[in-house]
Amino acid sequence: MTRDPVRLSRRRFLKVAGWTGLAAALAACGLGRVSPATLPSGSALPSATPTPPLPTPLASLTPTATPGLTLREQIGRMLVVGFRGTTADEAAATIADLRDHALGGVVLFDYDTPTRTPVRNIVSPAQVTALVAALRGAATQPLIVAIDAEGGKVARLDPDLGFPATISAAALGARNDADFTEGYARALATTLRDVGIDLNLAPVVDLNLNPSNPIIGALDRSFSADPYVVVAQAEAFIRGHRSIGVQTALKHFPGHGSATGDTHLGVVDVTGVWQQVELEPFRRIITDGLADAVLTAHIFDAVLDPQHPASLSQPIVTGMLRGQLGWSGVVISDDLQMGAIRQQYGYAEAVALAIEAGIDLLTIANQQIYEEGIVGHTIDIVEGFVNDGRISAARIAESVTRIDAFLAARSG
């Protein structure tokens, strides 16, 4: 009998995560949840339903993607790619992708991980300004230029390279002064705007429920363990950016703060430690109309989805984020080359699952591994899935429509 490689891939993920078999039982019983003892009574909490019903596709969205784009160009607009090069000449391959494939976005880094070498894209303010101008000049469609300018240990624009010093989310949360945070964020966004960056992949709205979490708490990336402090600080951070015309992205949905591992390196299973209260910052900021985009985590939670990590999960992205929390805007994946994804799925399958889950912008950071030609390769993959009937052309147009609205909000 022919063995289904997709089914085997899912089984391997669950095996590594340690929840094969038990996942279904947990999901059926609704177990693995810890109620936040510190949350004041009467506060709005997310529903305890593990897997919310999926909204009807396109129920509130009629695809109106930019007319005249081919299918391949629409797919290209769904990609946000990291690249090597500090000048237009060094970034010639990416310049060609912008010109030939309608590449939707790029993300800038200071160095490659984990070695921190070589220099990726950032040398000085003048150099970044010239590089971004060259990228925009080559683009055939409006271009997203993104960066992780959270502040503190995750800033990318280093003071040693001539950029202003930044403040970590933990320090801002400890101060808990919304006016100060908004003013600081306005200055940070001005730095980004001045070099041509228009999307800050921040703020982190993960709750600091595990201070020893190697990728969140230990790096001071969370404002606080208190959801109300996180919401107040994140909203001030967003207002500061919006006043300068720079967009932001809430991360990492549905919450990475309680984890004990780093999804850059491999599977991180949060079943049994993830708490419902981790949704509250996302819920509140979305409800308050201050979300520009939402970026997903690669965490695995057998209760929320017994088969897939969040970035590849239709119950989490489409069911929970869109259906339960009511988010209708752009959803961005975390890097699809990170260990939590790369170790368990082939690249093509991960791309298919992300699109099926409801992701609009696929992030391919080219950090831990570098793949020349990844843009054309990914377009070929997705076009093949459309031709085979696995993914519909309407599903691609749906994402492009959301991307168009996201870009219109930036210019408006």
Side-chain angles (χ1 to χ4, degrees), residues 33-118:
R33 289 293 170 268
V34 181
S35 297
T38 59
L39 197 69
S41 61
S43 301
L45 282 174
S47 166
T49 305
T51 53
L54 302 180
T56 302
L58 307 180
S60 59
L61 182 70
T62 300
T64 57
T66 304
L69 294 182
T70 66
L71 173 62
R72 290 180 64 83
E73 289 171 332
Q74 290 183 55
I75 297 166
R77 294 197 64 199
M78 295 176 64
L79 308 183
V80 177
V81 178
F83 64 98
R84 287 179 178 168
T86 60
T87 67
D89 287 344
E90 292 175 355
T94 301
I95 295 286
D97 287 331
L98 290 165
R99 184 182 62 245
D100 301 335
H101 295 307
L103 175 62
V106 296
V107 55
L108 304 183
F109 291 96
D110 44 357
Y111 52 77
D112 273 321
T113 57
T115 63
R116 297 198 170 207
T117 57

Side-chain angles (χ1 to χ4, degrees), residues 6-31 33 49-52 54 267-272 299-317 320 344-345 353:
V6 175
R7 186 179 300 276
L8 289 175
S9 175
R10 294 170 180 171
R11 289 176 62 190
R12 280 198 302 273
F13 188 94
L14 295 175
K15 182 178 180 181
V16 174
W19 289 97
T20 303
L22 182 57
L26 284 170
C29 297
L31 298 178
R33 289 293 170 268
T49 305
T51 53
L54 302 180
V267 174
V268 174
D269 181 6
V270 299
T271 311
I299 56 166
F300 174 74
D301 187 321
V303 175
L304 299 179
D305 186 334
Q307 291 186 302
H308 301 118
S311 291
L312 309 184
S313 169
Q314 193 177 46
I316 292 174
V317 175
M320 179 178 287
Q344 307 308 319
Y345 300 91
L353 289 170

